[in-house]
Structures are given as structure tokens and as C-alpha cells.
Amino acid sequence: MSSDHNPVMVCFFFKYQLPETKGNSKINWNRYRDNIRKNCDFNICNLNSADKIDNLADNIENIIINAKNASLIPIKNKPQVIDAEIRKLNNERNCARRNFQRTRNPAHRSLMNRLNKQIRKLSEKLEQDRLQNRLLNVNTYDGKIWNFVKPFKKKAHTIPTLHDQDNIALTDIDKANFLANSLETQFSLNNLSDRDTEITVNHSVGRFRSLDIKYEGNDLPLPSEIMSCIKKLKPNKAPGIDNISNKMIQNLPTNIIILFTFLIRKMLQHGHFPSRWKTATVVPILKPGKDPTQPSSYRPISLLSSLSKIAEHVILKRLMESLSDNNILCPEQFGFRPNLSTSHQLVRVTEFITEGFTNKQKTGAVFLDIQKAFDRVWQDALIHKLIGFNIPNYLVKLIDSYLDNRSFRVRVKNDLSDLKIIKAGVAQGSKIGPILFSCFINDIPKQFNTMLCMYADDTAILARNKNPNYIQLALNRHIKALEVWFIKWKIAINASKTEAIMFHYTTTYGNFPQLKIHNETIPWSKQCKYLGVILDSRLTWKPHFLYVRQKFWAQARKLYPLIARNSKMDREAKLLIYTAYLRPVITYACPTWGYAAKTNLKILETLQNNIIRQITNATWYMTNTDIRQAIKYPSLKEFIKKLATSFFKKFDMHDNSAIQEINNYLPDPKIKRPRNVLLL
């Protein structure tokens, strides 16, 4: 060596082995079913305890998972095809680079840079040509258009570094645990107390749990009921923590479906829900407009076991039959009820207000904001109420087992957090959770001189009179009754987000008497948002239409590469994308606001006209009417009238008593009320 330093040789010995990289694979469904048939051999005699039910649920899951792993077939990756022109340019560029590195001649570097630019431009052109070919091949007949549109509609967001006052999370596992700790506090009871209620609930539930309850029904599920439920599963839904997908369940052979039916029958008979099905995988979704570095800015989306959901379907069916037979659910609750939607509740609210306008009355409304409504349900109180509703004891016992000792793990990419216990609330993402919440708030106080409106946890109370002081007295009396009831059942109200509005026909918005909740003044607003619709004080609907316009263009910008003027996609496919994704943004709850003034409706009509002109690549001299007639597409007014006609036809025949209380009337162009939409 030319150096005067002594050479040193260092040897490192690492016990390191490259991990096995698994490529893409698919399931051989015939092998999958055969594997399950061979291994589905259990002794199901004397299945008379909770531990044995848990063991059978574990064995069924293990059989399905093992059969899936044994029937995986690797998929060969398609070799990457490089364009011949790009390959030629790559070789020339590499040759120029080698020559420059050897000679340091600037001419070789200039040639290398020039070739790099040519390669980049040609790659972009080829990529654009591939996209254009895909757009040309998309049609409305084979159903592939939906998978093609999906990546444009939703974009995945990665979770950045999270931090709180003391700690910081950099890795995925740290982020998952950060979020899990935040959610653990969310799934806990509110710090509210009413001693008499707590004593009553503890005594009632404790006495119920001490009873030896036996199954007394005659409606145990048959395999046909389970198979019918399995057929209705959506194959593309995300699996729970067991990674058993709906498609795997839909390919189960008959023998394991019979075994699964037997398990559900034993669950009903012994009132025990398997422990393995009580753990949820929580996927955090960032709330709009929130700081992504704060753990509290994420909304939990729970993924439950698909097998658990089938068992829940069986429970829900029997629970709903009992609630319906005894006419238990209050008619003012429109959430999670058959043949009822947000539009029904919004029409009910609008009819109440506009009827007041015709009688020269003002209407005061308070929109309550319940904190973490589903996540902080007092579970013992829910069981206490179910007992009081005369729900069959075996169902109450099974629901009690279903709610007890539930847990969750937060998933960030492929990492799972530590196991956390859920201390309160109904299970998110479950089938029976929403109806259990409806049962929990079913005895909410009502007043003779106010109207109560509920859709799940979205609650509003309205009162009308010519005198604003009377409205204040009526609303404050109802709010006072609600305050006592909320504390009694450990429900927290967010007073700062609770809004009030006075609906009236005068042009000036005066100083109205104050409303209070928990000794905090509720400010009077000029507009409020309820069930996704903005209600202004005069019900002109213009603020709502401006909000819809902003929302519409935000959605349209995501789909612009597909429906732009120069897009090569077929016109029918473009119209289908507009009809499926964009028009529903405009027409949501249209029976409520369809009677609005023509000048305000023009805001929405312009949205449709602009998009259709863009889709058809229309020139400036073509009229909107001619374009619609040429492509045989209805105008927005025609479509709204069609929807409203169908809606009000069913509305008049509805058996809900809260809807039946609305006075029926004929549309009159001189009086602005929702049914005037039928005159369009």
C-alpha cells in the first residue's frame, strides 16, 4: 500500500437471513371447501357452558383460517414490459454516462442530460396513452367502472407524527398506542351521577344477573336463516381482527354452516356471546379540518368479525320483533327505523315551521349536541331499560353478555396497538348497536307544547307561537326537563355546540328572549345545520344551496380527470358517474327544500347544466334544453319533482304516528310549504 498506515482487517459475523417475501396469492375455493369438510369434525355433545361455547367459536374460526392458509395459490407477477424506444434511449443514456465518468468531457454530460429529458417525456406520454386507453375501454355494462372511479373519489391519508403534552410518536406501533390511549378515555362513562338512579339500576341489573334464565322461545334459527344472511353479505367489506372475509364465509360448505347455526342456537339458549368476537379492530380516520398531529382529531372506525355480525343479525331480528310487537320505540325517533330517513324528519320539521308561517307564528328551535353519544352509553342502565321494556329475558341476557368486557386494538398500517378495554358505549360498527342506543334514549322527556325530533343522537326541540316570550318559556321548560334526564342517565351535553334559531318571516332578526342550558346561554343563530341541511331563519334555503354548491365542486374536482371535456371516456360512462356520484349531492333531502324560490333553485340547476355541458363538450351556442333533449337526460326540476312525488305518496301512507300528526293539505302556490314541490 502507498499509505504509511498499517492495514487493519475487521471481520463481522452476522446471523442474518433474508426474510421470505410472499408475493400475491389467491384462494383455490375448491381446495378451501374440501379442507373445511375434512376438518369439520367436532364432538358437540354437552355444549352447555360458556367455556364450551367459546371453544366451539374458536374452533370454527381456526378451521376457516387454516383452510384459507392451506389453499393459497401464489400468483406469478407479470414481467414488466419496457417500451423498445425507452430501452434504446436508456442504453444510449447509460453509454453517455459511462463516457462522461471516464473522460469528464462536458459534451458527454450534455448528451446524458438531453437523453434523460427525452426518456422522461416519452415515459409521461406512454403513461398518458395508457390512461387514455383505459378510459376508452371503460363502459357502463360490465360494472368495472365503479372500481375505476373509486381511486379518484377517495384518497388515502397517512398518519403523521403524533404528539401530546409529554410524548411523541414516530413509529406506526407508537402511533397506534397513542391513538388507543386516546380512544380508551373516549369509551368511558361521563362523570355524571344521580345516586337514586344508580341504586335502582344496580339493584335491578344485579337481581337479573343472579337469575337462572333459560331459553323460553320457539324461534331458534335454522340453517336456512343463516344461509340467507350469508348471501346478503357484501364481499368487498373489510374483515375484522380474525381476517375472515365475507367472501370466505360465502364459500363455506354446508356442514360448517350447520355447525355455525348450532353455535348460534346454543348462544341463544345459554345467553353467552363468544369472547373471541368481542374484540374490534379500530381504523383511525382524520376528522375534517382537525389537526392531524393530535390523537383526539381522529374518528374511530371499528371493524368487527364477520361471523359476529351474522350472530348479531339473528339477535337483531328477534329484538326488533319484540320491540315492534310491544310498540316500544317512540315515534319521534326516525333513526335506524324501517322506511324512515333523514328526509322524513326534515320534512316534519319544515312542515311544523311553515305551518307556523301561514298562521303568522314564529318558531323557536334548539338543536342539542350530545357528547360521544354512542361511545358513552351507560351499559348497566341500558340493560335495566331493556328489562323494563319486557324484552324476552334470554335476549336481555345475551345482549348483556354481548356488551360485557368488549375490547379493541387500533391498527396503523400493519401494526396493532395493545389491547384496550371498552368500559362504556354500544359497539361501533355493529348491527345491534344503533337500535340499542335508540332503546337507551327511548324515554327522553316530551312536553305538550313543544315538538321533539330525533334521528339517532341528533335531537331538536321546537315550539311556535306569535309571542317569542311564550316560545322561550316552552323551550326552557323542555330544556330543564332534559337536563335532569341527561344527568340521571349519565349523558353529557355540549352546551357550547348547542344552537338555537328563531324562524320568522320578518326581514329583521330582533333580540329574542334568552335560552339557557346548564346555566349557559344558548346564542340565537341566523342559520343552523340539522341532518346535513342548513336551515336559515326565513327558510329561503339559499345558504343551504350555497353550501351544496361548494360541496358539489369539491367532489367534482376529484372526478375531473374522468369527466373533463378532453377525457377519452365514453359519454355514457361520464353521465353515469355524474348520476351516481354528483347528482345525489345536489338532490339530498329535495322533498324538504324543493319548493324554494326559482331564483334560489337556479343555483343548483346551474351546477347540473355546467357539468352536462362539460361532459358533452358542448359549444357556447348550444342551449341547455337542446343538450338535455339530445342525450335524453331530465332537467333537475323534473328529477326533483319525480323524487318528491314518490316520496309524498309513501309519506301519506306511512304508519308512523308522528308523521300522521302532520296536517294533510293541497299544494297552493300562494303558500310556501314543502308539498309545493309537486307544482314544479
Side-chain angles (χ1 to χ4, degrees):
M1 295 178 67
S2 60
S3 171
D4 58 351
H5 294 285
N6 292 326
V8 177
M9 184 175 66
V10 181
C11 298
F12 296 95
F13 297 95
F14 294 107
K15 291 183 178 180
Y16 179 79
Q17 186 177 2
L18 288 173
E20 294 182 6
T21 56
K22 295 183 179 179
N24 294 330
S25 59
K26 65 178 182 179
I27 298 175
N28 182 322
W29 294 113
N30 290 327
R31 190 188 300 176
Y32 169 79
R33 286 185 286 266
D34 290 341
N35 198 302
I36 289 177
R37 288 190 190 99
K38 292 176 184 176
N39 296 312
C40 186
D41 184 19
F42 294 115
N43 181 12
I44 55 176
C45 298
N46 299 321
L47 197 70
N48 52 12
S49 68
D51 291 339
K52 291 182 179 179
I53 290 173
D54 283 338
N55 289 336
L56 180 57
D58 293 350
N59 289 333
I60 290 174
E61 273 194 16
N62 291 332
I63 285 175
I64 296 173
I65 293 169
N66 292 335
K68 171 207 164 187
N69 294 333
S71 56
L72 289 175
I73 302 173
I75 301 174
K76 292 182 179 179
N77 294 326
K78 294 181 180 179
Q80 186 177 5
V81 180
I82 300 176
D83 184 77
E85 184 65 23
I86 288 184
R87 188 184 292 113
K88 179 183 174 182
L89 291 172
N90 276 336
N91 292 335
E92 293 177 4
R93 187 265 320 270
N94 293 340
C95 181
R97 181 190 290 125
R98 285 194 299 271
N99 289 336
F100 172 70
Q101 290 171 345
R102 187 174 63 254
T103 64
R104 293 295 171 178
N105 187 344
H108 293 306
R109 184 174 62 182
S110 299
L111 177 61
M112 179 186 68
N113 292 336
R114 186 166 60 253
L115 290 170
N116 267 331
K117 289 180 181 178
Q118 292 179 17
I119 292 170
R120 189 160 53 247
K121 286 183 179 180
L122 183 58
S123 298
E124 291 174 357
K125 182 178 180 301
L126 291 172
E127 184 65 30
Q128 189 67 23
D129 290 344
R130 276 194 289 268
L131 177 60
Q132 297 294 350
N133 289 331
R134 288 181 66 194
L135 290 172
L136 285 170
N137 293 325
V138 170
N139 58 64
T140 59
Y141 310 112
D142 56 7
K144 292 180 181 178
I145 185 174
W146 309 117
N147 291 331
F148 188 78
V149 174
K150 195 173 182 180
F152 291 88
K153 192 168 180 288
K154 291 184 179 180
K155 294 183 180 179
H157 296 281
T158 57
I159 298 176
T161 301
L162 301 176
H163 62 82
D164 57 15
Q165 294 179 350
D166 303 318
N167 300 306
I168 188 169
L170 297 171
T171 64
D172 290 337
I173 187 65
D174 288 341
K175 293 175 187 177
N177 284 316
F178 247 53
L179 292 165
N181 292 333
S182 174
L183 292 175
E184 190 177 24
T185 59
Q186 181 173 318
F187 298 133
S188 58
L189 280 174
N190 290 307
N191 189 22
L192 300 171
S193 178
D194 182 81
R195 183 167 178 77
D196 293 340
T197 305
E198 290 176 0
I199 292 171
T200 303
V201 167
N202 292 336
H203 175 74
S204 170
V205 175
R207 181 177 172 276
F208 176 81
R209 288 170 179 163
S210 65
L211 298 175
D212 183 19
I213 297 170
K214 296 182 179 179
Y215 177 78
E216 297 175 351
N218 55 358
D219 57 346
L220 289 173
L222 298 172
S224 58
E225 181 182 345
I226 305 302
M227 292 177 75
S228 175
C229 180
I230 289 174
K231 286 179 182 178
K232 295 177 183 177
L233 294 175
K234 296 180 180 178
N236 295 326
K237 286 288 185 180
I241 202 165
D242 54 10
N243 285 323
I244 297 177
S245 66
N246 288 347
K247 193 168 184 180
M248 291 166 62
I249 295 174
Q250 289 175 332
N251 280 277
L252 291 175
T254 307
N255 60 340
I256 198 165
I257 291 177
I258 294 172
L259 183 63
F260 184 57
T261 307
F262 180 78
L263 169 64
I264 295 177
R265 292 167 73 101
K266 288 298 179 182
M267 287 165 52
L268 290 168
Q269 289 174 336
H270 295 280
H272 177 73
F273 200 86
S275 303
R276 189 157 177 168
W277 294 349
K278 294 183 184 182
T279 301
T281 302
V282 172
V283 179
I285 303 294
L286 181 66
K287 298 175 184 176
K290 296 291 185 178
D291 182 3
T293 63
Q294 295 297 317
S296 59
S297 299
Y298 291 84
R299 179 181 290 111
I301 303 298
S302 296
L303 303 178
L304 300 177
S305 166
S306 295
L307 295 174
S308 164
K309 288 185 178 180
I310 296 171
E312 288 180 39
H313 176 83
V314 174
I315 300 170
L316 178 63
K317 181 182 176 183
R318 284 143 184 81
L319 177 62
M320 288 301 295
E321 287 175 355
S322 177
L323 293 172
S324 178
D325 292 343
N326 297 316
N327 196 24
I328 289 171
L329 293 178
C330 65
E332 292 82 7
Q333 174 61 274
F334 284 24
F336 319 112
R337 305 283 294 275
N339 304 319
L340 287 172
S341 66
T342 53
S343 294
H344 289 82
Q345 191 66 278
L346 285 166
V347 166
R348 182 167 171 256
V349 169
T350 308
E351 290 284 10
F352 185 81
I353 297 167
T354 52
E355 187 181 7
F357 285 167
T358 59
N359 297 323
K360 298 182 179 180
Q361 292 178 325
K362 297 177 176 65
T363 302
V366 177
F367 300 96
L368 301 171
D369 184 81
I370 301 177
Q371 289 183 6
K372 313 294 182 187
F374 286 80
D375 300 335
R376 294 184 174 177
V377 170
W378 184 11
Q379 294 176 349
D380 284 357
L382 172 59
I383 298 301
H384 167 73
K385 291 187 178 185
L386 292 177
I387 297 168
F389 293 156
N390 292 323
I391 305 295
N393 285 340
Y394 78 92
L395 269 181
V396 179
K397 183 179 179 183
L398 184 55
I399 292 170
D400 188 26
S401 173
Y402 172 83
L403 295 172
D404 182 51
N405 201 29
R406 296 193 71 89
S407 57
F408 71 94
R409 293 179 186 269
V410 175
R411 187 180 73 197
V412 176
K413 294 184 180 178
N414 294 324
D415 290 315
L416 290 172
S417 70
D418 298 333
L419 192 70
K420 300 292 181 180
I421 302 300
I422 297 174
K423 299 175 183 177
V426 293
Q428 277 202 357
S430 65
K431 284 182 171 289
I432 63 174
I435 199 65
L436 291 178
F437 178 79
S438 295
C439 291
F440 182 66
I441 63 170
N442 192 62
D443 58 340
I444 189 169
K446 304 174 190 177
Q447 296 286 330
F448 72 94
N449 54 357
T450 58
M451 185 176 80
L452 177 69
C453 303
M454 291 190 295
Y455 194 92
D457 62 325
D458 289 312
T459 306
I461 52 175
L462 295 90
R464 69 186 180 199
N465 197 272
K466 292 181 179 180
N467 187 348
N469 293 320
Y470 178 87
I471 294 173
Q472 181 217 25
L473 288 172
L475 291 176
N476 273 334
R477 187 183 294 117
H478 199 161
I479 290 171
K480 201 67 181 176
L482 288 173
E483 285 178 6
V484 175
W485 184 83
F486 285 141
I487 293 172
K488 183 178 179 181
W489 300 110
K490 299 182 185 295
I491 300 173
I493 291 293
N494 193 337
S496 61
K497 291 185 179 181
T498 296
E499 293 183 291
I501 183 171
M502 185 71 76
F503 297 99
H504 60 97
Y505 243 178
T506 57
T507 55
T508 57
Y509 201 79
N511 295 322
F512 300 110
Q514 288 186 348
L515 301 175
K516 288 191 174 182
I517 185 167
H518 294 309
N519 294 324
E520 290 187 33
T521 301
I522 306 173
W524 290 104
S525 304
K526 292 186 178 181
Q527 60 187 45
C528 291
K529 191 175 182 181
Y530 182 60
L531 300 178
V533 173
I534 295 178
L535 308 170
D536 60 288
S537 60
R538 297 179 63 201
L539 282 192
T540 63
W541 303 105
K542 186 174 181 179
H544 175 65
F545 296 160
L546 295 175
Y547 163 74
V548 168
R549 183 173 68 182
Q550 183 182 4
K551 187 177 178 182
F552 176 87
W553 286 122
Q555 195 76 349
R557 279 191 289 272
K558 296 177 183 177
L559 302 171
Y560 183 78
L562 305 179
I563 60 175
R565 284 178 178 267
N566 58 355
S567 170
K568 299 297 183 183
M569 182 177 279
D570 181 67
R571 189 178 68 194
E572 289 187 8
K574 290 182 182 181
L575 281 172
L576 183 59
I577 290 172
Y578 166 72
T579 304
Y581 292 109
L582 296 178
R583 191 169 66 176
V585 176
I586 300 176
T587 58
Y588 169 70
C590 61
T592 308
W593 48 257
Y595 70 97
K598 292 180 181 179
T599 52
N600 291 333
L601 284 174
K602 190 73 176 175
I603 297 171
L604 302 184
E605 290 176 5
T606 303
L607 298 178
Q608 173 167 295
N609 292 338
N610 287 345
I611 285 291
I612 289 181
R613 295 185 75 89
Q614 178 179 298
I615 287 172
T616 57
N617 198 16
T619 53
W620 63 270
Y621 54 82
M622 296 180 181
T623 65
N624 295 322
T625 303
D626 290 341
I627 295 169
R628 286 196 304 269
Q629 289 176 353
I631 63 175
K632 297 179 181 179
Y633 202 83
S635 69
L636 189 63
K637 279 187 179 180
E638 291 170 348
F639 184 67
I640 288 174
K641 184 176 180 180
K642 180 182 176 182
L643 290 179
T645 303
S646 174
F647 176 85
F648 282 111
K649 185 178 179 181
K650 296 175 183 177
F651 193 83
D652 292 336
M653 297 186 294
H654 211 288
D655 58 356
N656 182 279
S657 60
I659 291 178
Q660 291 173 352
E661 290 175 1
I662 300 173
N663 294 329
N664 203 345
Y665 60 92
L666 293 174
D668 184 352
K670 295 180 181 179
I671 301 174
K672 290 187 176 182
R673 294 191 67 177
R675 288 180 191 265
N676 284 18
V677 67
L678 304 176
L679 300 176
L680 287 176

